[in-house]
Amino acid sequence: MFVAVSMVGLLLIIGLIADGGVKVRAVQEADALAAEAARASGQAIDLPAAVGGEPVRVDRQAAANAANAYLTAADAPGQVSISPDGRDLEVSVTLTRPTAFLSLIGITQVTVTGHASVTLVHAVTGDQP
C-alpha cells in the first residue's frame, strides 16, 4: 500500500516538473513572439513626419498591420497597442500548450501570456528628443 501511494505522489511530482517545463518554454516563446511583433511594428515609422523634422513616431495603421501580420504568420493570437503619441508600442501574445502528466488530474493545458514593448528613439545613442 505504501508503494502504491508513494508512486502516485512521485508521478505527481514528475508531472509538475515536466509540465512546469512546458509552461516555462511557452512563456519564453510568447515573450519572443511578442518582442518580434513589437520590433516589426516599430519599423513602420511615419516617414513624411520624420522627413519633415517632426519627432519619430509610427504610422499607426501600418504598425498595427505589421505586428498582426507577424502574429498571424506565427499562428499566435495577440494584441497590439500604440500610445497616443505613436512612440510607444506594446504587444501581448497568449499561447496555450497541452500538458502531458497533469492531464491525469484534469489540467489538460496551460495558458501563458507574453509581453513586449518598444519605444522609438531619435538617435543611435538612444537619446530621446
Side-chain angles (χ1 to χ4, degrees):
M1 188 62 139
F2 174 75
V3 172
V5 171
S6 296
M7 287 305 292
V8 169
L10 184 60
L11 283 175
L12 184 60
I13 290 171
I14 291 171
L16 288 173
I17 292 169
D19 290 331
V22 168
K23 185 171 183 173
V24 168
R25 284 188 300 279
V27 168
Q28 291 173 338
E29 182 183 357
D31 283 340
L33 288 170
E36 287 301 313
R39 181 206 51 80
S41 67
Q43 299 294 317
I45 66 168
D46 184 357
L47 286 176
V51 171
E54 295 179 32
V56 177
R57 63 177 184 260
V58 295
D59 177 342
R60 298 177 76 75
Q61 190 61 45
N65 290 344
N68 287 323
Y70 185 88
L71 294 175
T72 299
D75 194 28
Q79 291 184 304
V80 181
S81 63
I82 302 171
S83 68
D85 66 358
R87 296 193 46 170
D88 298 306
L89 304 108
E90 193 169 316
V91 178
S92 297
V93 175
T94 303
L95 297 177
T96 301
R97 296 293 182 250
T99 60
F101 290 96
L102 292 180
S103 60
L104 298 173
I105 60 169
I107 302 171
T108 58
Q109 60 188 14
V110 292
T111 301
V112 298
T113 303
H115 302 279
S117 61
V118 172
T119 300
L120 299 179
V121 294
H122 196 64
V124 175
T125 60
D127 296 335
Q128 295 188 10

